[in-house]
Amino acid sequence: MSFTFGCPDRTTIEQLQRARSCVVVSVTDAAEATLSDARGADALCVQGPLAGGHRATHQVAQEPRATGLEVLLRDVRDVCDLPLVAAGGITRREHIVAAMEAGAKAVQIGTVLLRSPESGASPLHKDALASDRFSETMVTCAFSGRFARGLVNRFMRDYHDVAPAAYPEVNQLTRPLRAAGAAAGDPDGIALWAGTGYRNAPVAAAAEIITTLWGEMQVKCPN
Ligand SMILES: Cc1cc2nc3c(=O)[nH]c(=O)nc-3n(C[C@H](O)[C@H](O)[C@H](O)COP(=O)(O)O)c2cc1C
């Protein structure tokens, strides 16, 4: 069972473990890793700054750090011995190798799967990822009141400077606006979550994308 946006208390973690769950907590810096380790987490998902979607910071208003994934993995490795899953900006073999060398036991991918048929992203969102109209990503509170990375569009430009870090209030507030944008088929009116690696997201089955990454690693898939 994995958690983001914070770490459950020690009792909750123990109850889950007694029910034979492995508890994974997402962290974005060494302090969050230390806390999650002290509360008894079994493993950590270390999310770097290039990740798509919401940053996993434990405090809503905490400006997410820009520390690169490899440095972050080493920082976390220095403060705890838990198995680490690396996330954020991983789209190619080199990224996986670098994450493993920095101490990760596994990697997590998100953005690179967004255009697969299995992805729940809307056709509007999938098309925007491949469109020349959207050429960069940014981290913003504009859509939800929580820092998250997505393609820069009109909604983001209009509200980035004024949206407070207040989640889930801002999320509720912008819901009708985003729904209207979706209904109008307007990619400038919805959240286009994406990590920096979105240009490497192919239109291919999820299994094929993962198999290709495995193949590039020249390792045999476990049964
Ligand atoms: C469209 C999208 C939606 C996401 N939704 C969630 C979510 O609901 N919960 C969560 O913990 N992480 C979510 N994430 C973040 C991923 O768990 C992960 O940290 C991230 O995708 C890894 O970086 P990458 O996108 O560069 O591969 C989302 C990411 C994307 C791209």
Side-chain angles (χ1 to χ4, degrees):
M1 189 166 293
S2 72
F3 293 86
T4 189
F5 299 169
C7 181
D9 59 35
R10 180 180 274 278
T11 311
T12 305
I13 290 181
E14 282 171 3
Q15 284 171 339
L16 289 167
Q17 289 166 335
R18 271 201 297 278
R20 298 193 185 182
S21 286
C22 168
V23 176
V24 182
V25 179
S26 284
V27 300
T28 62
D29 63 23
E32 291 170 355
T34 303
L35 176 111
S36 306
D37 187 19
R39 292 206 183 153
D42 294 301
L44 302 178
C45 178
V46 180
Q47 190 203 48
L50 306 184
H54 284 96
R55 301 300 310 278
T57 40
H58 288 195
Q59 304 301 323
V60 176
Q62 182 190 327
E63 181 94 34
R65 290 172 204 277
T67 311
L69 181 59
E70 291 156 49
V71 173
L72 181 58
L73 284 162
R74 291 193 168 90
D75 286 352
V76 171
R77 183 77 303 146
D78 282 348
V79 296
C80 80
D81 293 327
L82 294 174
L84 307 180
V85 180
I90 291 175
T91 62
R92 297 145 67 103
R93 176 186 186 277
E94 306 88 271
H95 306 147
I96 302 175
V97 171
M100 298 301 221
E101 282 176 0
K105 282 268 190 287
V107 299
Q108 183 190 65
I109 53 173
T111 295
V112 80
L113 297 170
L114 277 179
R115 296 176 70 216
S116 67
E118 292 87 350
S119 156
S122 67
L124 206 55
H125 187 170
K126 288 183 179 181
D127 289 347
L129 292 164
S131 163
D132 289 341
R133 279 184 59 199
F134 304 103
S135 55
E136 58 179 332
T137 66
M138 200 168 82
V139 174
T140 186
C141 286
F143 294 99
S144 68
R146 239 191 185 280
F147 291 98
R149 184 179 291 282
L151 298 179
V152 176
N153 63 0
R154 190 191 62 234
F155 192 112
M156 203 190 277
R157 279 191 295 269
D158 284 353
Y159 300 117
H160 176 73
D161 289 337
V162 292
Y167 176 91
E169 290 82 357
V170 174
N171 199 45
Q172 301 291 348
L173 203 65
T174 64
R175 192 185 299 273
L177 294 176
R178 292 182 282 113
D186 176 14
D188 272 295
I190 61 171
L192 299 169
W193 300 137
T196 56
Y198 69 97
R199 288 286 188 219
N200 291 330
V203 179
E208 194 183 322
I209 295 168
I210 292 167
T211 306
T212 303
L213 280 172
W214 271 112
E216 288 176 6
M217 292 296 291
Q218 294 182 312
V219 295
K220 207 164 163 266
C221 281
N223 290 324

PDB file of all heavy atoms in Angstrom, residues 2-5 26 45 47-48 50-54 56 86-91 108-112 114 121 125 149 192-197, ligand 1:
ATOM      1  N   SER A   2       0.675   2.109  -0.950  1.00  0.00           N
ATOM      2  CA  SER A   2       1.587   3.255  -1.009  1.00  0.00           C
ATOM      3  C   SER A   2       0.838   4.565  -0.750  1.00  0.00           C
ATOM      4  O   SER A   2      -0.335   4.694  -1.092  1.00  0.00           O
ATOM      5  CB  SER A   2       2.315   3.303  -2.346  1.00  0.00           C
ATOM      6  OG  SER A   2       1.445   3.687  -3.381  1.00  0.00           O
ATOM      7  N   PHE A   3       1.563   5.488  -0.145  1.00  0.00           N
ATOM      8  CA  PHE A   3       0.978   6.765   0.281  1.00  0.00           C
ATOM      9  C   PHE A   3       1.727   7.929  -0.353  1.00  0.00           C
ATOM     10  O   PHE A   3       2.940   7.867  -0.529  1.00  0.00           O
ATOM     11  CB  PHE A   3       1.061   6.908   1.806  1.00  0.00           C
ATOM     12  CG  PHE A   3       0.185   5.926   2.529  1.00  0.00           C
ATOM     13  CD1 PHE A   3       0.641   4.647   2.815  1.00  0.00           C
ATOM     14  CD2 PHE A   3      -1.105   6.277   2.915  1.00  0.00           C
ATOM     15  CE1 PHE A   3      -0.174   3.732   3.465  1.00  0.00           C
ATOM     16  CE2 PHE A   3      -1.921   5.374   3.571  1.00  0.00           C
ATOM     17  CZ  PHE A   3      -1.454   4.102   3.840  1.00  0.00           C
ATOM     18  N   THR A   4       0.968   8.975  -0.659  1.00  0.00           N
ATOM     19  CA  THR A   4       1.600  10.211  -1.114  1.00  0.00           C
ATOM     20  C   THR A   4       1.004  11.369  -0.335  1.00  0.00           C
ATOM     21  O   THR A   4      -0.003  11.201   0.358  1.00  0.00           O
ATOM     22  CB  THR A   4       1.387  10.400  -2.629  1.00  0.00           C
ATOM     23  OG1 THR A   4       2.189  11.493  -3.085  1.00  0.00           O
ATOM     24  CG2 THR A   4      -0.066  10.698  -2.976  1.00  0.00           C
ATOM     25  N   PHE A   5       1.652  12.532  -0.402  1.00  0.00           N
ATOM     26  CA  PHE A   5       1.217  13.754   0.289  1.00  0.00           C
ATOM     27  C   PHE A   5       1.375  13.659   1.808  1.00  0.00           C
ATOM     28  O   PHE A   5       0.823  14.473   2.538  1.00  0.00           O
ATOM     29  CB  PHE A   5      -0.252  14.109  -0.005  1.00  0.00           C
ATOM     30  CG  PHE A   5      -0.585  14.370  -1.457  1.00  0.00           C
ATOM     31  CD1 PHE A   5      -1.899  14.476  -1.859  1.00  0.00           C
ATOM     32  CD2 PHE A   5       0.411  14.527  -2.405  1.00  0.00           C
ATOM     33  CE1 PHE A   5      -2.222  14.732  -3.188  1.00  0.00           C
ATOM     34  CE2 PHE A   5       0.101  14.767  -3.738  1.00  0.00           C
ATOM     35  CZ  PHE A   5      -1.225  14.878  -4.128  1.00  0.00           C
ATOM     36  N   SER A  26       5.850   7.918  -0.369  1.00  0.00           N
ATOM     37  CA  SER A  26       6.564   8.806  -1.287  1.00  0.00           C
ATOM     38  C   SER A  26       7.205   9.946  -0.514  1.00  0.00           C
ATOM     39  O   SER A  26       6.579  10.525   0.379  1.00  0.00           O
ATOM     40  CB  SER A  26       5.606   9.386  -2.330  1.00  0.00           C
ATOM     41  OG  SER A  26       5.300   8.415  -3.295  1.00  0.00           O
ATOM     42  N   CYS A  45       9.297   5.665  -1.975  1.00  0.00           N
ATOM     43  CA  CYS A  45       9.313   6.096  -3.359  1.00  0.00           C
ATOM     44  C   CYS A  45       9.914   7.494  -3.334  1.00  0.00           C
ATOM     45  O   CYS A  45       9.351   8.407  -2.727  1.00  0.00           O
ATOM     46  CB  CYS A  45       7.906   6.112  -3.942  1.00  0.00           C
ATOM     47  SG  CYS A  45       7.887   6.705  -5.631  1.00  0.00           S
ATOM     48  N   GLN A  47      10.650  10.738  -5.071  1.00  0.00           N
ATOM     49  CA  GLN A  47      10.156  11.446  -6.247  1.00  0.00           C
ATOM     50  C   GLN A  47      10.990  12.706  -6.497  1.00  0.00           C
ATOM     51  O   GLN A  47      11.060  13.590  -5.653  1.00  0.00           O
ATOM     52  CB  GLN A  47       8.681  11.822  -6.050  1.00  0.00           C
ATOM     53  CG  GLN A  47       8.020  12.347  -7.315  1.00  0.00           C
ATOM     54  CD  GLN A  47       6.810  13.203  -7.005  1.00  0.00           C
ATOM     55  OE1 GLN A  47       6.871  14.092  -6.161  1.00  0.00           O
ATOM     56  NE2 GLN A  47       5.706  12.933  -7.680  1.00  0.00           N
ATOM     57  N   GLY A  48      11.603  12.751  -7.662  1.00  0.00           N
ATOM     58  CA  GLY A  48      12.433  13.888  -8.032  1.00  0.00           C
ATOM     59  C   GLY A  48      11.634  14.995  -8.699  1.00  0.00           C
ATOM     60  O   GLY A  48      10.444  14.833  -8.998  1.00  0.00           O
ATOM     61  N   LEU A  50      11.456  16.296 -11.674  1.00  0.00           N
ATOM     62  CA  LEU A  50      11.002  16.253 -13.062  1.00  0.00           C
ATOM     63  C   LEU A  50       9.693  15.484 -13.224  1.00  0.00           C
ATOM     64  O   LEU A  50       9.127  15.414 -14.319  1.00  0.00           O
ATOM     65  CB  LEU A  50      12.083  15.609 -13.953  1.00  0.00           C
ATOM     66  CG  LEU A  50      13.471  16.242 -13.868  1.00  0.00           C
ATOM     67  CD1 LEU A  50      14.426  15.581 -14.865  1.00  0.00           C
ATOM     68  CD2 LEU A  50      13.409  17.745 -14.115  1.00  0.00           C
ATOM     69  N   ALA A  51       9.187  14.910 -12.142  1.00  0.00           N
ATOM     70  CA  ALA A  51       7.991  14.051 -12.198  1.00  0.00           C
ATOM     71  C   ALA A  51       6.760  14.787 -12.698  1.00  0.00           C
ATOM     72  O   ALA A  51       6.580  15.986 -12.433  1.00  0.00           O
ATOM     73  CB  ALA A  51       7.707  13.481 -10.810  1.00  0.00           C
ATOM     74  N   GLY A  52       5.902  14.059 -13.408  1.00  0.00           N
ATOM     75  CA  GLY A  52       4.632  14.619 -13.838  1.00  0.00           C
ATOM     76  C   GLY A  52       3.596  14.535 -12.735  1.00  0.00           C
ATOM     77  O   GLY A  52       3.711  13.721 -11.823  1.00  0.00           O
ATOM     78  N   GLY A  53       2.584  15.390 -12.822  1.00  0.00           N
ATOM     79  CA  GLY A  53       1.512  15.369 -11.836  1.00  0.00           C
ATOM     80  C   GLY A  53       1.952  15.977 -10.511  1.00  0.00           C
ATOM     81  O   GLY A  53       2.912  16.756 -10.452  1.00  0.00           O
ATOM     82  N   HIS A  54       1.229  15.624  -9.462  1.00  0.00           N
ATOM     83  CA  HIS A  54       1.479  16.268  -8.169  1.00  0.00           C
ATOM     84  C   HIS A  54       2.806  15.857  -7.546  1.00  0.00           C
ATOM     85  O   HIS A  54       3.189  14.699  -7.602  1.00  0.00           O
ATOM     86  CB  HIS A  54       0.326  15.940  -7.200  1.00  0.00           C
ATOM     87  CG  HIS A  54      -0.908  16.721  -7.499  1.00  0.00           C
ATOM     88  ND1 HIS A  54      -1.938  16.227  -8.250  1.00  0.00           N
ATOM     89  CD2 HIS A  54      -1.256  17.993  -7.162  1.00  0.00           C
ATOM     90  CE1 HIS A  54      -2.882  17.155  -8.366  1.00  0.00           C
ATOM     91  NE2 HIS A  54      -2.486  18.228  -7.721  1.00  0.00           N
ATOM     92  N   ALA A  56       4.985  15.008  -4.329  1.00  0.00           N
ATOM     93  CA  ALA A  56       4.573  14.222  -3.165  1.00  0.00           C
ATOM     94  C   ALA A  56       4.961  14.871  -1.835  1.00  0.00           C
ATOM     95  O   ALA A  56       4.935  14.215  -0.791  1.00  0.00           O
ATOM     96  CB  ALA A  56       5.201  12.830  -3.266  1.00  0.00           C
ATOM     97  N   ALA A  86      12.862   4.852  -7.384  1.00  0.00           N
ATOM     98  CA  ALA A  86      13.133   6.186  -7.938  1.00  0.00           C
ATOM     99  C   ALA A  86      12.042   6.586  -8.916  1.00  0.00           C
ATOM    100  O   ALA A  86      11.626   5.792  -9.757  1.00  0.00           O
ATOM    101  CB  ALA A  86      14.481   6.199  -8.646  1.00  0.00           C
ATOM    102  N   ALA A  87      11.588   7.841  -8.820  1.00  0.00           N
ATOM    103  CA  ALA A  87      10.534   8.327  -9.727  1.00  0.00           C
ATOM    104  C   ALA A  87      10.842   9.752 -10.158  1.00  0.00           C
ATOM    105  O   ALA A  87      11.403  10.546  -9.397  1.00  0.00           O
ATOM    106  CB  ALA A  87       9.183   8.287  -9.020  1.00  0.00           C
ATOM    107  N   GLY A  88      10.430  10.067 -11.398  1.00  0.00           N
ATOM    108  CA  GLY A  88      10.558  11.443 -11.876  1.00  0.00           C
ATOM    109  C   GLY A  88      11.504  11.574 -13.043  1.00  0.00           C
ATOM    110  O   GLY A  88      12.719  11.496 -12.873  1.00  0.00           O
ATOM    111  N   GLY A  89      10.938  11.723 -14.232  1.00  0.00           N
ATOM    112  CA  GLY A  89      11.766  11.967 -15.414  1.00  0.00           C
ATOM    113  C   GLY A  89      12.400  10.732 -16.016  1.00  0.00           C
ATOM    114  O   GLY A  89      13.286  10.845 -16.861  1.00  0.00           O
ATOM    115  N   ILE A  90      11.949   9.556 -15.601  1.00  0.00           N
ATOM    116  CA  ILE A  90      12.567   8.326 -16.116  1.00  0.00           C
ATOM    117  C   ILE A  90      11.844   7.876 -17.382  1.00  0.00           C
ATOM    118  O   ILE A  90      10.675   7.495 -17.341  1.00  0.00           O
ATOM    119  CB  ILE A  90      12.573   7.226 -15.034  1.00  0.00           C
ATOM    120  CG1 ILE A  90      13.549   7.655 -13.939  1.00  0.00           C
ATOM    121  CG2 ILE A  90      12.966   5.872 -15.635  1.00  0.00           C
ATOM    122  CD1 ILE A  90      13.601   6.773 -12.743  1.00  0.00           C
ATOM    123  N   THR A  91      12.554   7.975 -18.500  1.00  0.00           N
ATOM    124  CA  THR A  91      11.949   7.565 -19.774  1.00  0.00           C
ATOM    125  C   THR A  91      12.893   6.688 -20.584  1.00  0.00           C
ATOM    126  O   THR A  91      12.486   6.125 -21.585  1.00  0.00           O
ATOM    127  CB  THR A  91      11.580   8.787 -20.655  1.00  0.00           C
ATOM    128  OG1 THR A  91      12.762   9.506 -20.984  1.00  0.00           O
ATOM    129  CG2 THR A  91      10.599   9.706 -19.950  1.00  0.00           C
ATOM    130  N   GLN A 108      10.020   3.897 -10.949  1.00  0.00           N
ATOM    131  CA  GLN A 108       8.596   4.060 -11.242  1.00  0.00           C
ATOM    132  C   GLN A 108       8.478   4.995 -12.444  1.00  0.00           C
ATOM    133  O   GLN A 108       9.205   5.976 -12.528  1.00  0.00           O
ATOM    134  CB  GLN A 108       7.918   4.704 -10.031  1.00  0.00           C
ATOM    135  CG  GLN A 108       6.416   4.865 -10.155  1.00  0.00           C
ATOM    136  CD  GLN A 108       5.863   5.737  -9.023  1.00  0.00           C
ATOM    137  OE1 GLN A 108       6.169   6.917  -8.926  1.00  0.00           O
ATOM    138  NE2 GLN A 108       5.089   5.149  -8.156  1.00  0.00           N
ATOM    139  N   ILE A 109       7.596   4.638 -13.383  1.00  0.00           N
ATOM    140  CA  ILE A 109       7.394   5.516 -14.545  1.00  0.00           C
ATOM    141  C   ILE A 109       5.929   5.930 -14.618  1.00  0.00           C
ATOM    142  O   ILE A 109       5.034   5.161 -14.274  1.00  0.00           O
ATOM    143  CB  ILE A 109       7.819   4.835 -15.862  1.00  0.00           C
ATOM    144  CG1 ILE A 109       7.127   3.468 -16.033  1.00  0.00           C
ATOM    145  CG2 ILE A 109       9.325   4.697 -15.935  1.00  0.00           C
ATOM    146  CD1 ILE A 109       7.375   2.816 -17.379  1.00  0.00           C
ATOM    147  N   GLY A 110       5.712   7.158 -15.053  1.00  0.00           N
ATOM    148  CA  GLY A 110       4.342   7.652 -15.169  1.00  0.00           C
ATOM    149  C   GLY A 110       4.126   8.295 -16.521  1.00  0.00           C
ATOM    150  O   GLY A 110       3.412   7.786 -17.383  1.00  0.00           O
ATOM    151  N   THR A 111       4.806   9.408 -16.743  1.00  0.00           N
ATOM    152  CA  THR A 111       4.623  10.199 -17.965  1.00  0.00           C
ATOM    153  C   THR A 111       4.807   9.385 -19.240  1.00  0.00           C
ATOM    154  O   THR A 111       4.047   9.534 -20.204  1.00  0.00           O
ATOM    155  CB  THR A 111       5.613  11.385 -17.942  1.00  0.00           C
ATOM    156  OG1 THR A 111       5.257  12.237 -16.856  1.00  0.00           O
ATOM    157  CG2 THR A 111       5.576  12.169 -19.235  1.00  0.00           C
ATOM    158  N   VAL A 112       5.788   8.516 -19.247  1.00  0.00           N
ATOM    159  CA  VAL A 112       6.091   7.777 -20.476  1.00  0.00           C
ATOM    160  C   VAL A 112       4.956   6.817 -20.871  1.00  0.00           C
ATOM    161  O   VAL A 112       4.882   6.369 -22.017  1.00  0.00           O
ATOM    162  CB  VAL A 112       7.467   7.063 -20.320  1.00  0.00           C
ATOM    163  CG1 VAL A 112       7.350   5.792 -19.520  1.00  0.00           C
ATOM    164  CG2 VAL A 112       8.093   6.808 -21.679  1.00  0.00           C
ATOM    165  N   LEU A 114       1.719   7.777 -20.578  1.00  0.00           N
ATOM    166  CA  LEU A 114       0.481   8.569 -20.708  1.00  0.00           C
ATOM    167  C   LEU A 114      -0.262   8.414 -22.023  1.00  0.00           C
ATOM    168  O   LEU A 114      -1.474   8.570 -22.083  1.00  0.00           O
ATOM    169  CB  LEU A 114       0.782  10.061 -20.489  1.00  0.00           C
ATOM    170  CG  LEU A 114       0.845  10.542 -19.044  1.00  0.00           C
ATOM    171  CD1 LEU A 114       1.178  12.028 -19.005  1.00  0.00           C
ATOM    172  CD2 LEU A 114      -0.469  10.276 -18.318  1.00  0.00           C
ATOM    173  N   ALA A 121      -5.662   8.987 -19.321  1.00  0.00           N
ATOM    174  CA  ALA A 121      -5.653  10.381 -19.791  1.00  0.00           C
ATOM    175  C   ALA A 121      -6.685  10.537 -20.907  1.00  0.00           C
ATOM    176  O   ALA A 121      -6.865   9.640 -21.732  1.00  0.00           O
ATOM    177  CB  ALA A 121      -4.257  10.750 -20.297  1.00  0.00           C
ATOM    178  N   HIS A 125      -5.942  15.376 -23.566  1.00  0.00           N
ATOM    179  CA  HIS A 125      -4.666  15.375 -22.854  1.00  0.00           C
ATOM    180  C   HIS A 125      -3.587  14.649 -23.671  1.00  0.00           C
ATOM    181  O   HIS A 125      -2.477  15.153 -23.868  1.00  0.00           O
ATOM    182  CB  HIS A 125      -4.905  14.673 -21.501  1.00  0.00           C
ATOM    183  CG  HIS A 125      -3.748  14.723 -20.548  1.00  0.00           C
ATOM    184  ND1 HIS A 125      -3.864  14.321 -19.236  1.00  0.00           N
ATOM    185  CD2 HIS A 125      -2.460  15.092 -20.695  1.00  0.00           C
ATOM    186  CE1 HIS A 125      -2.705  14.462 -18.626  1.00  0.00           C
ATOM    187  NE2 HIS A 125      -1.830  14.922 -19.487  1.00  0.00           N
ATOM    188  N   ARG A 149       3.286  19.250 -11.718  1.00  0.00           N
ATOM    189  CA  ARG A 149       3.902  19.591 -13.011  1.00  0.00           C
ATOM    190  C   ARG A 149       2.991  19.207 -14.170  1.00  0.00           C
ATOM    191  O   ARG A 149       2.469  18.084 -14.219  1.00  0.00           O
ATOM    192  CB  ARG A 149       5.256  18.879 -13.170  1.00  0.00           C
ATOM    193  CG  ARG A 149       5.995  19.281 -14.460  1.00  0.00           C
ATOM    194  CD  ARG A 149       7.343  18.590 -14.581  1.00  0.00           C
ATOM    195  NE  ARG A 149       8.312  19.045 -13.609  1.00  0.00           N
ATOM    196  CZ  ARG A 149       8.997  20.197 -13.683  1.00  0.00           C
ATOM    197  NH1 ARG A 149       8.802  21.007 -14.716  1.00  0.00           N
ATOM    198  NH2 ARG A 149       9.864  20.522 -12.756  1.00  0.00           N
ATOM    199  N   LEU A 192      -3.044  19.593 -17.829  1.00  0.00           N
ATOM    200  CA  LEU A 192      -2.369  18.661 -18.746  1.00  0.00           C
ATOM    201  C   LEU A 192      -1.143  18.101 -18.028  1.00  0.00           C
ATOM    202  O   LEU A 192       0.001  18.410 -18.359  1.00  0.00           O
ATOM    203  CB  LEU A 192      -1.956  19.398 -20.032  1.00  0.00           C
ATOM    204  CG  LEU A 192      -3.100  20.015 -20.854  1.00  0.00           C
ATOM    205  CD1 LEU A 192      -2.542  20.938 -21.931  1.00  0.00           C
ATOM    206  CD2 LEU A 192      -3.976  18.921 -21.471  1.00  0.00           C
ATOM    207  N   TRP A 193      -1.372  17.282 -17.006  1.00  0.00           N
ATOM    208  CA  TRP A 193      -0.265  16.781 -16.198  1.00  0.00           C
ATOM    209  C   TRP A 193       0.763  16.068 -17.078  1.00  0.00           C
ATOM    210  O   TRP A 193       0.411  15.238 -17.928  1.00  0.00           O
ATOM    211  CB  TRP A 193      -0.748  15.799 -15.123  1.00  0.00           C
ATOM    212  CG  TRP A 193      -1.735  16.340 -14.138  1.00  0.00           C
ATOM    213  CD1 TRP A 193      -2.854  15.698 -13.692  1.00  0.00           C
ATOM    214  CD2 TRP A 193      -1.699  17.599 -13.453  1.00  0.00           C
ATOM    215  NE1 TRP A 193      -3.509  16.500 -12.788  1.00  0.00           N
ATOM    216  CE2 TRP A 193      -2.830  17.664 -12.627  1.00  0.00           C
ATOM    217  CE3 TRP A 193      -0.830  18.687 -13.473  1.00  0.00           C
ATOM    218  CZ2 TRP A 193      -3.110  18.758 -11.818  1.00  0.00           C
ATOM    219  CZ3 TRP A 193      -1.114  19.787 -12.673  1.00  0.00           C
ATOM    220  CH2 TRP A 193      -2.232  19.811 -11.857  1.00  0.00           C
ATOM    221  N   ALA A 194       2.003  16.391 -16.852  1.00  0.00           N
ATOM    222  CA  ALA A 194       3.088  15.775 -17.622  1.00  0.00           C
ATOM    223  C   ALA A 194       4.410  16.044 -16.928  1.00  0.00           C
ATOM    224  O   ALA A 194       4.632  17.141 -16.402  1.00  0.00           O
ATOM    225  CB  ALA A 194       3.132  16.352 -19.036  1.00  0.00           C
ATOM    226  N   GLY A 195       5.285  15.052 -16.942  1.00  0.00           N
ATOM    227  CA  GLY A 195       6.654  15.254 -16.480  1.00  0.00           C
ATOM    228  C   GLY A 195       7.484  15.781 -17.639  1.00  0.00           C
ATOM    229  O   GLY A 195       7.021  15.833 -18.786  1.00  0.00           O
ATOM    230  N   THR A 196       8.723  16.141 -17.336  1.00  0.00           N
ATOM    231  CA  THR A 196       9.565  16.740 -18.383  1.00  0.00           C
ATOM    232  C   THR A 196       9.836  15.771 -19.534  1.00  0.00           C
ATOM    233  O   THR A 196      10.191  16.196 -20.621  1.00  0.00           O
ATOM    234  CB  THR A 196      10.917  17.187 -17.798  1.00  0.00           C
ATOM    235  OG1 THR A 196      11.515  16.052 -17.175  1.00  0.00           O
ATOM    236  CG2 THR A 196      10.746  18.300 -16.788  1.00  0.00           C
ATOM    237  N   GLY A 197       9.646  14.477 -19.303  1.00  0.00           N
ATOM    238  CA  GLY A 197       9.945  13.493 -20.343  1.00  0.00           C
ATOM    239  C   GLY A 197       8.800  13.241 -21.309  1.00  0.00           C
ATOM    240  O   GLY A 197       8.828  12.260 -22.055  1.00  0.00           O
TER     241      GLY A 197
HETATM  242  C1  LIG B   1      -1.029  12.197 -15.241  1.00  0.00           C
HETATM  243  C2  LIG B   1      -0.379  11.848 -13.936  1.00  0.00           C
HETATM  244  C3  LIG B   1      -1.175  11.585 -12.837  1.00  0.00           C
HETATM  245  C4  LIG B   1      -0.606  11.244 -11.611  1.00  0.00           C
HETATM  246  N1  LIG B   1      -1.418  10.968 -10.559  1.00  0.00           N
HETATM  247  C5  LIG B   1      -0.870  10.575  -9.396  1.00  0.00           C
HETATM  248  C6  LIG B   1      -1.711  10.197  -8.316  1.00  0.00           C
HETATM  249  O1  LIG B   1      -2.956  10.231  -8.417  1.00  0.00           O
HETATM  250  N2  LIG B   1      -1.139   9.798  -7.164  1.00  0.00           N
HETATM  251  C7  LIG B   1       0.233   9.749  -7.042  1.00  0.00           C
HETATM  252  O2  LIG B   1       0.719   9.359  -5.992  1.00  0.00           O
HETATM  253  N3  LIG B   1       1.054  10.117  -8.036  1.00  0.00           N
HETATM  254  C8  LIG B   1       0.541  10.515  -9.212  1.00  0.00           C
HETATM  255  N4  LIG B   1       1.369  10.866 -10.236  1.00  0.00           N
HETATM  256  C9  LIG B   1       2.825  10.906 -10.020  1.00  0.00           C
HETATM  257  C10 LIG B   1       3.467   9.535 -10.229  1.00  0.00           C
HETATM  258  O3  LIG B   1       3.152   8.704  -9.135  1.00  0.00           O
HETATM  259  C11 LIG B   1       4.980   9.596 -10.354  1.00  0.00           C
HETATM  260  O4  LIG B   1       5.574  10.245  -9.250  1.00  0.00           O
HETATM  261  C12 LIG B   1       5.457  10.287 -11.603  1.00  0.00           C
HETATM  262  O5  LIG B   1       4.618  10.018 -12.680  1.00  0.00           O
HETATM  263  C13 LIG B   1       6.861   9.850 -11.915  1.00  0.00           C
HETATM  264  O6  LIG B   1       7.494  10.738 -12.777  1.00  0.00           O
HETATM  265  P1  LIG B   1       7.316  10.706 -14.364  1.00  0.00           P
HETATM  266  O7  LIG B   1       5.931  11.178 -14.616  1.00  0.00           O
HETATM  267  O8  LIG B   1       8.360  11.661 -14.837  1.00  0.00           O
HETATM  268  O9  LIG B   1       7.540   9.298 -14.827  1.00  0.00           O
HETATM  269  C14 LIG B   1       0.811  11.196 -11.476  1.00  0.00           C
HETATM  270  C15 LIG B   1       1.608  11.468 -12.592  1.00  0.00           C
HETATM  271  C16 LIG B   1       1.033  11.786 -13.819  1.00  0.00           C
HETATM  272  C17 LIG B   1       1.948  12.050 -15.003  1.00  0.00           C
END
